[in-house]
């Protein structure tokens, strides 16, 4: 989503959530992810709070990091917590295409991600299906259009079908 656009394609919009889609469900356990996250933060001498919201398809985690906003000078309130929202789609619609990109921002990392046409299909799905309007959706939509990206229509059709239960043909 927006975080991928910001990190991989330098979109000038902040996105506070991290969205993931499972390519292979084998070996994925939300409980183990929580344990791994806590251990990773503990290795940096940081404690975190994790709130889980289990749903059938999209698993959600809210990670709260106490004190970091104050300690880094971002906030004057010692009690303010940084919150990161993770969403893991355990049954993503078929038709997406992935790419691997090397990112070197603060540290080097290889990232497997949806390609731009698949990301655009996800954004169009959000614009078409979201009950309420979010300005960020239109900001991103204009960015895709300015880059002359053509959406992955197979993924968009499958996403709409998964959401509505009705087969969709858009091409």
């Amino acid at each position: 989503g927006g975080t991928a656009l910001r990190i991989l394609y330098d979109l000038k919009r902040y996105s506070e959530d991290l969205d993931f889609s499972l390519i292979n469900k084998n070996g994925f356990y939300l409980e183990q992810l929580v344990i791994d996250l806590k251990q990773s933060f503990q290795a940096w001498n940081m404690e975190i709070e994790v709130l889980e919201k289990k749903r059938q398809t999209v698993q959600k985690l809210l990670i709260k990091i106490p004190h970091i906003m104050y300690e880094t000078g971002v906030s004057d309130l010692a009690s303010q917590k940084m919150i990161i929202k993770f969403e893991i789609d355990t049954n993503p619609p078929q038709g997406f295409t992935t790419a691997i990109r090397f990112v070197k921002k603060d540290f080097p990392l290889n990232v497997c991600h949806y390609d731009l046409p698949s990301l655009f299909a996800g954004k169009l799905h959000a614009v078409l299906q979201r009950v309420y309007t979010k300005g960020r959706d239109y900001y991103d939509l204009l960015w895709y259009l300015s880059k002359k990206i053509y959406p992955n229509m197979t993924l968009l059709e499958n996403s709409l079908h998964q959401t509505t239960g009705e087969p969709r043909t858009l091409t």
Side-chain angles (χ1 to χ4, degrees):
T3 303
L5 291 179
R6 182 174 53 85
I7 292 172
L8 301 172
Y9 300 100
D10 294 322
L11 178 71
K12 303 301 181 204
R13 177 178 74 77
Y14 179 74
S15 177
E16 74 283 350
D17 57 341
L18 299 170
D19 301 317
F20 298 93
S21 296
L22 288 184
I23 295 172
N24 182 349
K25 294 181 204 179
N26 294 336
F28 174 76
Y29 301 98
L30 188 64
E31 298 80 12
Q32 187 60 50
L33 176 61
V34 170
I35 291 167
D36 293 343
L37 285 168
K38 286 182 177 181
Q39 287 176 347
S40 294
F41 276 90
Q42 284 173 348
W44 289 91
N45 291 323
M46 298 173 71
E47 294 298 321
I48 61 171
E49 302 167 24
V50 180
L51 302 172
E52 299 176 39
K53 293 183 179 181
K54 292 184 183 181
R55 296 190 177 161
Q56 289 181 335
T57 302
V58 178
Q59 307 293 324
K60 297 183 179 192
L61 296 176
L62 283 180
I63 299 173
K64 297 182 180 185
I65 309 170
H67 314 296
I68 193 167
M69 304 280 282
Y70 179 74
E71 291 170 1
T72 58
V74 174
S75 174
D76 291 335
L77 303 173
S79 62
Q80 188 169 2
K81 299 174 183 177
M82 175 184 279
I83 298 175
I84 303 170
K85 182 172 73 171
F86 273 66
E87 290 189 0
I88 303 112
D89 187 344
T90 61
N91 188 29
Q94 295 302 300
F96 59 84
T97 304
T98 61
I100 296 176
R101 190 175 188 115
F102 179 74
V103 178
K104 187 179 178 188
K105 300 275 185 191
D106 296 320
F107 52 88
L109 179 67
N110 274 326
V111 179
C112 179
H113 60 90
Y114 280 11
D115 66 357
L116 278 174
S118 297
L119 286 168
F120 189 15
K123 182 54 64 177
L124 285 172
H125 178 257
V127 168
L128 293 170
Q129 293 298 303
R130 202 183 310 270
V131 177
Y132 47 91
T133 302
K134 286 193 173 186
R136 69 178 188 203
D137 290 336
Y138 294 101
Y139 183 90
D140 294 352
L141 183 61
L142 289 172
W143 183 86
Y144 283 111
L145 294 172
S146 74
K147 301 292 183 192
K148 299 182 178 159
I149 307 296
Y150 188 78
N152 177 334
M153 296 303 286
T154 302
L155 178 58
L156 180 56
E157 289 171 353
N158 290 340
S159 297
L160 291 168
H161 176 65
Q162 189 179 57
T163 302
T164 66
E166 300 173 17
R168 300 286 177 115
T169 304
L170 302 172
T171 53

